[in-house]
Amino acid sequence: MRVPLSWLREYVDLPATETGRDVQAKLIDVGLEVETVERLGEGLKGPLVVGQVLTIEELEGFKKPIRFCTVDVGDANGTGEPQEIVCGARNFSVGDKVVVVLPGAVLPGDFKIAARKTYGKTSHGMICSGDELGMGDDGTHGIIVLPPEYEVGTDAIALLELVDEVLDIAVTPDRGYCLSMRGVARETATAYGLPLRDPALLDVPPPNASGYPVQVSDPIGCDRFTARTVSGLEPEARSPIWLTRRLQKAGMRPVSLAVDITNYVMLELGQPLHAYDRATVDGPIGVRRATAGEQLTTLDGTKRVLDAQDLVITDNRGPIGLAGVMGGANTEIAGAVTDPETGQLRGTTDVVIEAAHFDAISIARTARRHRLSSEAAKRFERGVDPEAASAAAQRTVDLLVLLGGGTAGEGVTEVVSPRGPRTLTIPADHPDKVAGVEYGRETVVRRLQQVGCDVYGQDELVVTVPSWRPDLSDPNDLAEEVIRLEGYENLPSTLPKPPAGRGLTERQRLHRRVGRALAGAGYVEALNYPFTGSHVLDQLGIEPDDPRRSAVTLVNPLSDEEPDLRTTLIPGLLGALRRNYGRGSHDLALFETGPVFRATGDEKAASRLVVDRRPTDDEIASLDASLPQQPRRAAVVLTGAREQAGWWGEGRPAIWADAIEAGRAVAREAGVELIVRQDQHAPFHPGRCAALLALVDGEEVLVGNAGELHPRVIKAMALPERTCAMEIDLDRLERAGAGALKAPTISSFPVATQDVALIVDGGVPAADVEAALRDGAGELLESLRLFDVFTGEQTGAGKKSLAYALRFRAPDRTLTAEEATAARDAAVAAAVERTGAALRG
């Protein structure tokens, strides 16, 4: 909501020294989000005056039409002589009143005006358009042509109200009344402690039998409908400058007098209105639900097929408007057009004014169903004051009579579904308990009355909520009003005191350690949306029977292309990698930890929990049973250089082994040593894919996979070549671990290193050889590392050589050479027996 400060001052007597920034600070204190304060006309300097076009000479020989004009600007130029100006616009004629900026002036944007030679003539100033003056769109994109009544030489800065401040307020859904000058003025008056001049306090005639006929068939969808008529409007009547400027400052484009007035009153009172050309309305106006398949062409020129839940305005022919959203083109107010035969102006002369109150939910659903956002729908779906309809209709009639020369019809139509006032009961000390501050009964009553409530009672307050605040439906809502007006900044800051002995669970500690370990290894955390679609799984080459296809589909997804909850972390990370790579970052290593969602098919429909008490254990268990499995995962993706080149030497690219090492780093945080075996698993390259296994209760369990992505996946997802990835199940790792990590015992005795090279068949996994060596070496083995793999003539056909470094150390003594050699020989013997290895050399 854009709020011009000059307009706001009409309803609240703000101190003359108050600036837009001052008002912004006050409104923020009472809970409104004032995002910016725009200073219109900042840097603008005259002379800027009203001029009258005396002559126009068309200049020939240029690529575009150019006109050389003389303009009477009175004494504003100091000589009284006509001002010579070159102009390219063509929407003005001799005799028109225009806005002229003279040499020495400065326009918005620090655009200095001086006499200059152009198109073979010297131009002493400019004839201005609205855009050049920062006025906004007036629909013409041309020169401003003023009404003839303004005198030549009049200061145009004051006339056009070019200097002002506009507050831009982000109105939250519960504060719909602030989508009006009336609502913002009420908050301003409360913030400053000043009286409010309520623009809705008008004398409104009572309804009578001579009003325009209206039939409301759906009193739930429309509980109030006011209709008024005005006849004899002058087709040539234009909106005055003050009206068009207020609309422009508020962000709306002037259209015609009748439409401008309805928009103006909507901005002023918050009540959307609609004006129908009475000559095109056939019979009584009706309000009903649409018949499925009915069609309506709305004011934006779009033909819409209506839904049975849409609320429509009708006449004898059918729908003439989407109630509360947009009117129909068949009853649109006609602009003034000159009759080619008679030369007379034709246009709308008689109008029917609609001021109604519609159901907020119905309007919101209709607007979304038709993807049709309008200023009216924005207000109705946030809540409009139903009691303001009559005043808004009266205000519209008054302005049409005043500015359009019309005559107000005597008939007044009011169709109202009776409703009583909303009343709440609240203990007088309830806001004190909510805020932890002792306000006292007098403060509570005073603040609620400032909001517009009627308050009665002593210890127990009976509060009647004002009609413009549909959001006040609970005692806590009333408490919030007291607290915000007393100032959120005055609430004490009290940190909660957690009970001693409680902190993070072991599972939470593990997840944090994993994140720190990956960040320490050079990976950058990327947080992705947990939504995906089946097309991504197709790109990853995942088979139809793969468990990752068992997705949980959302009933109301944010995007039709991503209706499912993710079953793997890799697609989100690959999307982040692709975006960053496309923006010039070619050396990437990203990680993410978070849950994935796997549907089992055994989920039950969730029961709706009560809100007036704590759910029972059985109800909570029933809710848990309706949820899918949510295992927590960690994943990484990497591409480009893993080690940068520099003066220290050559760098190296990221390869599948780095992805495997990331899995090992994660597992070490759980106290688990992974077993790595060759595997084939989408979306990885079949020859560069590893299965990551861990021992759970003595059995090998698959906890993840790592490797290089398949070339088809890289092509389908437009990824860099040789992109690698790893994903691992943290819950399975936790089960494989031995509980809380214990600090290792550091031996002070020296280490004994023994190297062995074993020749095995090419198909024997290195992991099997490593396991045999570990088992054979016994307790003296501190660490084991594969440092070389060799194939060639020396090893024999179909054979490979695996070289390991074995480190032996005793906790209580220095090992002898005989002890270290015996441990190494035992390790080799176990490898020979279990894998068929032979000691090389």
Side-chain angles (χ1 to χ4, degrees):
M1 176 69 186
R2 291 173 55 86
V3 179
L5 188 58
S6 59
W7 193 356
L8 185 63
R9 290 181 183 274
E10 282 199 4
Y11 312 117
V12 184
D13 289 326
L14 295 172
T17 57
E18 288 294 283
T19 65
R21 296 288 186 187
D22 299 328
V23 178
Q24 177 189 30
K26 286 285 190 179
L27 292 179
I28 289 175
D29 285 344
V30 296
L32 288 183
E33 292 185 36
V34 186
E35 295 187 328
T36 60
V37 178
E38 182 180 353
R39 302 183 68 180
L40 302 182
E42 187 172 20
L44 178 63
K45 176 184 174 183
L48 186 71
V49 298
V50 175
Q52 185 171 23
V53 180
L54 300 179
T55 65
I56 298 177
E57 177 187 351
E58 302 288 345
L59 301 182
E60 305 291 340
F62 299 103
K63 293 182 179 180
K64 62 179 181 178
I66 299 296
R67 312 169 97 185
F68 181 65
C69 311
T70 58
V71 186
D72 180 10
V73 294
D75 296 329
N77 57 5
T79 64
E81 296 295 324
Q83 200 78 3
E84 296 180 338
I85 298 175
V86 175
C87 183
R90 310 193 64 79
N91 67 314
F92 64 95
S93 307
V94 172
D96 282 346
K97 299 286 181 70
V98 293
V99 178
V100 180
V101 58
L102 301 177
V106 180
L107 293 183
D110 197 29
F111 181 45
K112 297 178 181 179
I113 303 300
R116 66 188 184 97
K117 191 168 184 179
T118 179
Y119 296 103
K121 301 284 186 178
T122 300
S123 181
H124 299 273
M126 287 173 51
I127 301 175
C128 297
S129 67
D131 289 337
E132 291 165 337
L133 298 179
M135 294 172 58
D137 182 16
D138 62 358
T140 65
H141 299 289
I143 293 302
I144 301 171
V145 178
L146 299 171
E149 61 265 23
Y150 296 106
E151 294 184 6
V152 168
T154 301
D155 181 13
I157 295 178
L159 176 66
L160 299 177
E161 302 177 16
L162 296 179
V163 179
D164 201 351
E165 292 182 279
V166 179
L167 286 71
D168 194 348
I169 303 175
V171 180
T172 53
D174 61 328
R175 307 287 288 277
Y177 66 98
C178 285
L179 286 172
S180 67
M181 295 299 303
R182 181 194 185 200
V184 175
R186 186 180 301 279
E187 293 296 320
T188 305
T190 301
Y192 278 91
L194 296 172
L196 168 71
R197 286 188 291 274
D198 191 344
L201 296 180
L202 301 175
D203 291 330
V204 180
N208 53 55
S210 59
Y212 196 90
V214 174
Q215 299 170 353
V216 178
S217 303
D218 191 337
I220 296 177
C222 176
D223 56 12
R224 180 181 292 265
F225 196 107
T226 300
R228 300 288 298 274
T229 58
V230 177
S231 57
L233 292 174
E234 299 172 2
E236 70 275 11
R238 298 172 54 184
S239 299
I241 290 177
W242 66 265
L243 177 58
T244 59
R245 288 297 294 133
R246 286 189 172 179
L247 290 176
Q248 288 174 327
K249 292 175 186 179
M252 301 192 77
R253 181 173 62 86
V255 178
S256 63
L257 179 62
V259 175
D260 292 349
I261 288 175
T262 57
N263 286 336
Y264 177 83
V265 175
M266 177 185 69
L267 291 172
E268 184 178 51
L269 301 182
Q271 168 66 55
L273 301 110
H274 191 70
Y276 301 93
D277 187 336
R278 188 171 182 177
T280 61
V281 179
D282 183 7
I285 290 177
V287 183
R288 61 169 173 82
R289 298 288 172 177
T291 301
E294 278 187 303
Q295 295 186 354
L296 169 68
T297 301
T298 46
L299 288 173
D300 59 357
T302 302
K303 181 178 288 187
R304 304 182 184 276
V305 178
L306 303 181
D307 186 90
Q309 296 300 314
D310 292 334
L311 195 66
V312 293
I313 311 297
T314 65
D315 64 5
N316 288 338
R317 298 166 298 176
I320 59 174
L322 267 178
V325 180
M326 186 174 286
N330 54 351
T331 57
E332 182 179 7
I333 299 295
V337 178
T338 302
D339 190 317
E341 297 181 359
T342 63
Q344 294 181 343
L345 281 176
R346 288 185 176 179
T348 298
T349 57
D350 301 338
V351 298
V352 180
I353 305 299
E354 166 206 309
H357 184 261
F358 301 110
D359 174 61
I361 295 177
S362 176
I363 299 305
R365 288 175 176 171
T366 295
R368 284 157 179 74
R369 187 180 298 119
H370 293 280
R371 291 180 171 86
L372 182 58
S373 178
S374 67
E375 292 294 328
K378 185 190 302 182
R379 286 163 173 79
F380 276 123
E381 65 187 28
R382 285 166 172 79
V384 169
D385 181 6
E387 303 297 329
S390 300
Q394 182 64 47
R395 177 75 163 138
T396 304
V397 169
D398 292 343
L399 288 173
L400 283 172
V401 171
L402 176 66
L403 304 177
T407 302
E410 296 182 357
V412 178
T413 303
E414 286 273 7
V415 179
V416 181
S417 298
R419 64 161 67 188
R422 290 180 295 117
T423 301
L424 300 174
T425 302
I426 176 176
D429 62 350
H430 182 65
D432 302 11
K433 294 178 179 178
V434 172
V437 176
E438 188 174 342
Y439 294 122
R441 178 188 177 279
E442 291 185 2
T443 299
V444 172
V445 171
R446 175 171 56 86
R447 290 304 190 182
L448 291 179
Q449 287 175 340
Q450 287 179 333
V451 172
C453 298
D454 292 329
V455 186
Y456 303 94
Q458 293 297 319
D459 296 337
E460 198 79 10
L461 301 180
V462 179
V463 182
T464 301
V465 177
S467 57
W468 59 84
R469 292 299 302 272
D471 59 303
L472 301 182
S473 59
D474 184 87
N476 287 331
D477 296 331
L478 300 178
E480 183 182 1
E481 294 299 298
V482 175
I483 295 168
R484 75 174 179 89
L485 295 180
E486 283 295 303
Y488 290 122
E489 70 278 6
N490 296 323
L491 294 177
S493 298
T494 305
L495 293 176
K497 296 180 179 179
R502 295 185 183 179
L504 297 178
T505 65
E506 185 57 34
R507 183 170 186 261
Q508 291 169 327
R509 290 193 183 97
L510 170 61
H511 296 162
R512 292 197 178 187
R513 290 199 306 271
V514 167
R516 286 195 294 266
L518 290 174
Y523 291 86
V524 177
E525 186 170 18
L527 301 177
N528 299 296
Y529 286 114
F531 310 116
T532 187
S534 59
H535 67 285
V536 177
L537 301 181
D538 295 337
Q539 292 175 333
L540 293 177
I542 295 177
E543 297 295 331
D545 58 348
D546 193 293
R548 287 171 289 180
R549 290 281 185 176
S550 300
V552 178
T553 301
L554 301 174
V555 175
N556 187 21
L558 294 179
S559 169
D560 292 338
E561 294 182 357
E562 296 180 330
D564 302 330
L565 291 175
R566 66 188 178 192
T567 57
T568 169
L569 299 181
I570 289 179
L573 282 173
L574 291 179
L577 182 141
R578 182 175 60 246
R579 285 191 298 273
N580 284 276
Y581 192 88
R583 287 161 175 76
S585 298
H586 294 164
D587 302 323
L588 294 164
L590 308 177
F591 85 93
E592 182 177 12
T593 62
V596 298
F597 307 86
R598 296 286 183 87
T600 64
D602 298 329
E603 294 86 2
K604 300 178 181 178
S607 57
R608 188 180 295 274
L609 298 182
V610 297
V611 296
D612 58 346
R613 59 172 173 79
R614 183 189 183 280
T616 65
D617 292 342
D618 289 342
E619 289 172 333
I620 295 176
S622 174
L623 189 64
D624 288 339
S626 68
L627 300 177
Q629 292 181 354
Q630 300 179 50
R632 196 165 181 87
R633 299 288 185 87
V636 305
V637 294
L638 61 164
T639 190
R642 186 63 179 142
E643 294 178 3
Q644 296 289 340
W647 57 265
W648 51 85
E650 295 183 1
R652 69 171 184 85
I655 60 173
W656 54 268
D658 294 302
I660 296 174
E661 181 56 32
R664 286 196 171 106
V666 170
R668 281 194 292 269
E669 296 302 319
V672 176
E673 282 293 331
L674 289 180
I675 302 169
V676 180
R677 299 187 189 280
Q678 188 176 3
D679 195 9
Q680 292 189 17
H681 184 75
F684 297 102
H685 190 298
R688 296 168 188 158
C689 173
L692 307 181
L693 305 139
L695 292 176
V696 179
D697 298 330
E699 295 184 4
E700 291 186 0
V701 175
L702 180 69
V703 295
N705 287 93
E708 181 181 311
L709 296 182
H710 198 289
R712 285 197 296 267
V713 174
I714 289 175
K715 182 179 180 181
M717 301 191 74
L719 298 170
E721 292 183 1
R722 313 304 290 267
T723 297
C724 301
M726 182 278 299
E727 185 171 22
I728 196 166
D729 191 316
L730 297 180
D731 293 342
R732 292 182 182 177
L733 277 181
E734 185 181 6
R735 291 197 297 271
L741 290 181
K742 296 180 180 180
T745 301
I746 306 297
S747 175
S748 60
F749 296 95
V751 67
T753 303
Q754 297 274 355
D755 294 345
V756 297
L758 302 175
I759 297 177
V760 297
D761 289 338
V764 175
D768 290 351
V769 178
E770 180 179 328
L773 289 172
R774 285 185 182 278
D775 293 342
E779 296 180 354
L780 294 179
L781 182 66
E782 183 179 78
S783 67
L784 173 67
R785 181 173 64 88
L786 174 66
F787 67 86
D788 184 52
V789 178
F790 175 75
T791 58
E793 295 180 0
Q794 296 91 331
T795 62
K799 302 286 186 177
K800 63 183 177 181
S801 172
L802 304 176
Y804 291 91
L806 290 77
R807 291 167 57 92
F808 299 99
R809 195 192 314 251
D812 56 351
R813 68 190 188 280
T814 299
L815 292 177
T816 65
E818 291 78 9
E819 289 177 308
T821 301
R824 184 202 67 174
D825 292 343
V828 172
V832 170
E833 179 182 353
R834 288 165 53 174
T835 66
L839 190 63
R840 184 177 176 183

